[in-house]
C-alpha cells in the first residue's frame, strides 16, 4: 500500500545496496466511507446510479412475489448458502470466459473452512438475496473492527434484469451502516460497478527487486 515500509525505507535501503528496484502500480482498491445513514449514502451517488438502483429495486418487488434479503447467522444454514455462493461465482466467471477463484477443490476447501471459523467468531458476513426458493445473489464478506471487507460474490444470470447483484450490494452497505461499521472495503479490483458504489480508493504497488550482480541484472 502507499503507506507501506516497502514503498519507502526498504526500497531506499535496497537501492543503496546496489539492487535494482522497480515499483509499478499493481491494483486499485476501492472503498466506501460509510455515513450515518444509508439514505445519505445513496444521495451521494450520481443521479443515474441513484435512480437506476431505486427503479430496479421497485421493479424487483413488483415483478417477484417472494423477495427476501438475509444473512447466514448459524452453522445449519451455512453449507447450503456457501455452496450456492461458489456455484453462482463459478457460473458467472465461466460465462465471462474465465475460471473463477473456486475452480480448484483444494483451494475452495480453505475459504470454506475460514468462513466457518469466521462465523463462530461473529466475523462472517455471508449475505444473500432469495427470490422464491432460488438463491439469486450471494456476497461473501467479513466484519473486522469497524470495517466490512468484501471478498467475492455471485449472482444468478436469470435475474439479471433486476440487477440482483447491485440490489444485494445496496442491502449489504445498508446493513453495514446499521451495525456501526465506518468503512466498506472492496479489497482489490476496480470493476465499473465498484466505481459507482465507492467514495475513494487506495493504490497497491508491486515491488520487484533484483540482486546487484549479473544474474540479478539478467
Amino acid at each position: 500500500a502507499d503507506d507501506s515500509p516497502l514503498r519507502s525505507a526498504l526500497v531506499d535501503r535496497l537501492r543503496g545496496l546496489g539492487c535494482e528496484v522497480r515499483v509499478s502500480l499493481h491494483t486499485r482498491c476501492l472503498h466506501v466511507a460509510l455515513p450515518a445513514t444509508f439514505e445519505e449514502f445513496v444521495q451521494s451517488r450520481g443521479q443515474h446510479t441513484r435512480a437506476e438502483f431505486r427503479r430496479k429495486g421497485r421493479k424487483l418487488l413488483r415483478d417477484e412475489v417472494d423477495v427476501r434479503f438475509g444473512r447466514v447467522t448459524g452453522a445449519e444454514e451455512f453449507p447450503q448458502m456457501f455452496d450456492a455462493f461458489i456455484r453462482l461465482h463459478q457460473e458467472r466467471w465461466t460465462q465471462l470466459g474465465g475460471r473463477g477463484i473456486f475452480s480448484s477443490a483444494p483451494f475452495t476447501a480453505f475459504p470454506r473452512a475460514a468462513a466457518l471459523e469466521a462465523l463462530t467468531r461473529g466475523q462472517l458476513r455471508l449475505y444473500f438475496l432469495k427470490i422464491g426458493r432460488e438463491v439469486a445473489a450471494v456476497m461473501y464478506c467479513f466484519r473486522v473492527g469497524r470495517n466490512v471487507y468484501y471478498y467475492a460474490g455471485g449472482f444468478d444470470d436469470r435475474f439479471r434484469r433486476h440487477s440482483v447483484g447491485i440490489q444485494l450490494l445496496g442491502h449489504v452497505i445498508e446493513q453495514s451502516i446499521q451495525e456501526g461499521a465506518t468503512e466498506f472495503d472492496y479489497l482489490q479490483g476496480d470493476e465499473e460497478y465498484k466505481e459507482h458504489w465507492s467514495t475513494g480508493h487506495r493504490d497497491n504497488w508491486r515491488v520487484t527487486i533484483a540482486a546487484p550482480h549479473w544474474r540479478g541484472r539478467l
Side-chain angles (χ1 to χ4, degrees):
D2 283 324
D3 58 353
S4 168
L6 286 171
R7 291 269 289 131
S8 53
L10 183 59
V11 166
D12 292 342
R13 176 65 172 156
L14 290 168
R15 282 176 174 159
L17 293 173
C19 295
E20 167 139 359
V21 182
R22 300 178 182 177
V23 181
S24 57
L25 182 64
H26 173 53
T27 186
R28 177 154 287 180
C29 304
L30 303 176
H31 61 93
V32 182
L34 299 175
T37 67
F38 181 63
E39 183 61 27
E40 183 180 345
F41 169 72
V42 173
Q43 286 296 329
S44 71
R45 302 301 84 212
Q47 182 178 355
H48 176 76
T49 299
R50 184 171 64 244
E52 189 72 359
F53 171 69
R54 288 172 170 164
R55 185 181 69 81
K56 289 292 183 67
R58 291 192 298 267
K59 179 175 174 57
L60 171 62
L61 296 177
R62 184 174 63 248
D63 291 353
E64 305 294 342
V65 176
D66 183 14
V67 177
R68 181 168 71 92
F69 293 92
R71 192 187 101 196
V72 172
T73 58
E76 65 282 351
E77 59 183 339
F78 172 82
Q80 178 185 7
M81 202 54 64
F82 198 83
D83 287 346
F85 155 63
I86 292 176
R87 174 177 57 80
L88 293 175
H89 179 87
Q90 289 302 116
E91 286 177 357
R92 178 62 179 155
W93 278 97
T94 300
Q95 290 171 358
L96 295 174
R99 295 183 60 192
I101 60 176
F102 299 109
S103 59
S104 164
F107 173 82
T108 302
F110 170 72
R112 184 188 300 273
L116 193 56
E117 173 68 15
L119 178 62
T120 66
R121 295 172 178 267
Q123 295 176 322
L124 180 66
R125 297 295 184 270
L126 188 60
Y127 289 97
F128 59 86
L129 166 58
K130 294 188 74 173
I131 298 178
R133 301 180 67 178
E134 301 290 333
V135 179
V138 184
M139 287 186 65
Y140 176 33
C141 309
F142 296 92
R143 167 72 188 266
V144 181
R146 303 295 298 276
N147 287 17
V148 175
Y149 298 92
Y150 169 55
Y151 184 73
F155 67 90
D156 192 326
D157 201 57
R158 292 177 298 169
F159 301 104
R160 171 187 289 274
R161 67 186 184 280
H162 295 307
S163 297
V164 289
I166 295 300
Q167 293 300 315
L168 181 57
L169 174 59
H171 174 77
V172 172
I173 291 177
E174 181 176 19
Q175 293 300 303
S176 300
I177 292 172
Q178 290 183 1
E179 67 173 78
T182 57
E183 183 174 281
F184 184 82
D185 193 330
Y186 291 102
L187 299 177
Q188 72 176 23
D190 56 356
E191 293 88 344
E192 184 179 1
Y193 77 92
K194 294 179 182 177
E195 288 276 3
H196 293 307
W197 286 76
S198 68
T199 60
H201 73 271
R202 303 180 184 91
D203 290 331
N204 276 352
W205 301 85
R206 175 180 284 115
V207 179
T208 307
I209 305 163
H213 48 60
W214 70 267
R215 286 179 299 175
R217 288 193 295 273
L218 181 60

